[in-house]
Amino acid sequence: QPFGNISPRLSNPTVSVLEERLANLEGGRGGTCTASGHSAQLLTLFAIMGPGDAIVASNKLYGGSITQLGKTIQRFGWKCIFVDVDDVPSVRKAMQQPKVKGLWVESLANPGGIVSDLRALSAVTREAGVPLIVDNTMATPFLCRPIEHGADLVVHSTTKFLSGHGNAMGGCVVDSGKFDWAKNDKFPALALPEPAYHGLAFQETFGDLAFTIYGHAVGLRDLGPTMAPFNAFLTICGVETLAVRMRQHCQNGRKVAEFLAQHPRVAWVSYATLPGNKYKPLADKYLQGEGGSVFTFGVKGGYSEGIKVVERCQLISHLANLGDLRTLILHPASTTHRQLTTEQREAAGAGDDVIRLSVGLETAEDIIADLDRALNSISAN
């Protein structure tokens, strides 16, 4: 039968346009859009995991992802093994544990400005016979196309840079179409007959579209995290200006990071392209020599002083979103990462002194002036 729209929960013409465009931007075979980035992550796991299965994940992820993978998915009978993906031998060892079904990383990690070595990690997943899943929200396909470096699945929170305006929630998982889900016995949902579709086997029937068709026909049908068509429309509009926005985001991010690196009230700055940063070679390799526009820095004085700096900014908005055209500031330890243990926060780059910036499109000098005023007000006290 020809492809077409059956139920608005499974597909919609406007959402389909966005799915095709994101798949093309990433160099993938197909895409499945969802109501949020977190639901895109759940939809991805739903296709490859079963009770008792495990996923190996970087310990340097967005705090909400650490909670979802480390706690919430346990209710499905799944578990997550967190590792330092900078230590490839440790990753390889974790991948050898029973019932591991994939490796999950962020190309450019939130919030620490950490760059993953995708080619090295892809080699490890090939040895294990499981997919490499890359969250590319922070880098976007403008800076990095993970499939070209060995990723099998690419996940986005489209709410962030792809939409760009902070006005449309959404998520997407893009399938490379290169992973054979029937090459071993690890992925029965995709390789074996599906009772709800009269014994149809997705890999056998749809080939390189198996994961994408499953995402719609089973994932969206049964879990229901459908993207609203109007949110898809807004995101389509945002994607059309992605290249222009990302150039300015990166330029402003670099200027602000260089300013903070010299400020007497700042202990450190984690921005991949600053001189001496250990991730600069990986930024050159995977991010076109850019460090993006979301990064962290440490305020001298720790937890209480970090909160004060955020509260004393005037131009910059105190908001947990990122990838907005406006500059946003956050103290992760008291907000997005507060549900984590001290050890987890430290591992994720969200310690007590850490402030996260999502640098927007305002004039860089205005952003710098606002930060300078806030930092100096702390110094005066």
Side-chain angles (χ1 to χ4, degrees):
Q1 291 183 338
F3 288 104
N5 296 305
I6 301 171
S7 162
R9 191 167 77 248
L10 276 66
S11 61
N12 170 274
T14 307
V15 178
S16 295
V17 170
L18 178 60
E19 290 170 338
E20 291 176 10
R21 292 190 182 180
L22 296 182
N24 287 333
L25 281 171
E26 287 289 5
R29 183 66 177 89
T32 306
C33 281
T34 64
S36 67
H38 258 38
S39 59
Q41 294 183 171
L42 181 60
L43 204 75
T44 301
L45 296 174
F46 184 67
I48 65 174
M49 304 276 279
D53 287 345
I55 189 87
V56 175
S58 170
N59 60 5
K60 301 177 180 67
L61 298 175
Y62 162 57
S65 296
I66 291 177
T67 299
Q68 185 186 47
L69 296 177
K71 297 183 184 299
T72 307
I73 68 171
Q74 293 178 15
R75 299 181 182 182
F76 290 82
W78 310 334
K79 71 173 183 177
C80 181
I81 304 164
F82 289 107
V83 295
D84 180 357
V85 294
D86 289 347
D87 184 353
V88 176
S90 292
V91 176
R92 181 175 284 108
K93 181 179 180 181
M95 297 297 294
Q96 294 171 353
Q97 295 191 40
K99 306 197 77 173
V100 166
K101 297 301 177 70
L103 173 61
W104 193 293
V105 302
E106 293 179 1
S107 52
L108 178 60
N110 170 23
I114 296 157
V115 185
S116 297
D117 191 344
L118 300 181
R119 290 189 180 275
L121 297 172
S122 175
V124 173
T125 60
R126 293 290 177 271
E127 295 171 7
V130 299
L132 173 61
I133 307 161
V134 178
D135 183 337
N136 201 35
T137 298
M138 298 274 283
T140 80
F142 177 80
L143 291 181
C144 179
R145 290 168 49 129
I147 291 171
E148 295 178 352
H149 304 293
D152 299 293
L153 300 169
V154 178
V155 177
H156 282 277
S157 169
T158 63
T159 313
K160 311 303 191 297
F161 289 102
L162 292 177
S163 174
H165 297 78
N167 58 10
M169 290 282 289
C172 186
V173 51
V174 174
D175 177 24
S176 69
K178 297 178 180 180
F179 193 91
D180 182 358
W181 302 102
K183 69 180 179 180
N184 53 43
D185 61 356
K186 295 178 182 289
F187 308 102
L190 294 163
L192 298 183
E194 169 57 50
Y197 285 100
H198 308 291
L200 175 151
F202 283 88
Q203 179 66 45
E204 178 184 20
T205 305
F206 300 109
D208 60 2
L209 273 173
F211 186 92
T212 298
I213 299 297
Y214 185 92
H216 289 79
V218 179
L220 290 178
R221 181 197 66 185
D222 295 342
L223 299 179
T226 307
M227 175 181 277
F230 187 62
N231 282 356
F233 166 74
L234 292 174
T235 305
I236 290 168
C237 294
V239 167
E240 291 178 352
T241 63
L242 179 66
V244 176
R245 289 186 288 106
M246 286 302 294
R247 288 191 188 97
Q248 190 64 38
H249 276 302
C250 292
Q251 180 180 329
N252 282 356
R254 184 167 55 253
K255 289 181 179 179
V256 173
E258 290 170 351
F259 160 76
L260 290 170
Q262 303 300 319
H263 200 284
R265 292 295 296 159
V266 173
W268 53 267
V269 179
S270 179
Y271 189 77
T273 60
L274 286 178
N277 189 291
K278 72 174 185 176
Y279 294 105
K280 188 177 187 310
L282 292 178
D284 292 339
K285 183 176 182 179
Y286 296 116
L287 304 178
Q288 304 180 51
E290 296 287 358
S293 66
V294 180
F295 63 93
T296 54
F297 65 95
V299 176
K300 292 180 180 178
Y303 190 93
S304 61
E305 302 301 281
I307 293 175
K308 291 176 184 176
V309 169
V310 170
E311 292 175 342
R312 294 181 185 184
C313 286
Q314 298 177 14
L315 170 69
I316 301 171
S317 300
H318 181 197
L319 199 65
N321 193 26
L322 55 86
D324 199 309
L325 55 85
R326 295 160 283 266
T327 298
L328 311 175
I329 193 168
L330 193 72
H331 182 243
S334 62
T335 53
T336 57
H337 289 62
R338 67 182 300 172
Q339 74 275 20
L340 305 182
T341 66
T342 301
E343 293 74 19
Q344 286 177 318
R345 289 203 306 268
E346 293 287 349
D352 287 348
D353 63 336
V354 174
I355 289 179
R356 186 189 77 186
L357 272 178
S358 174
V359 180
L361 305 183
E362 305 95 338
T363 303
E365 288 72 20
D366 290 341
I367 303 169
I368 289 170
D370 197 31
L371 286 168
D372 190 37
R373 179 172 52 247
L375 287 164
N376 287 336
S377 73
I378 298 299
S379 180
N381 291 337

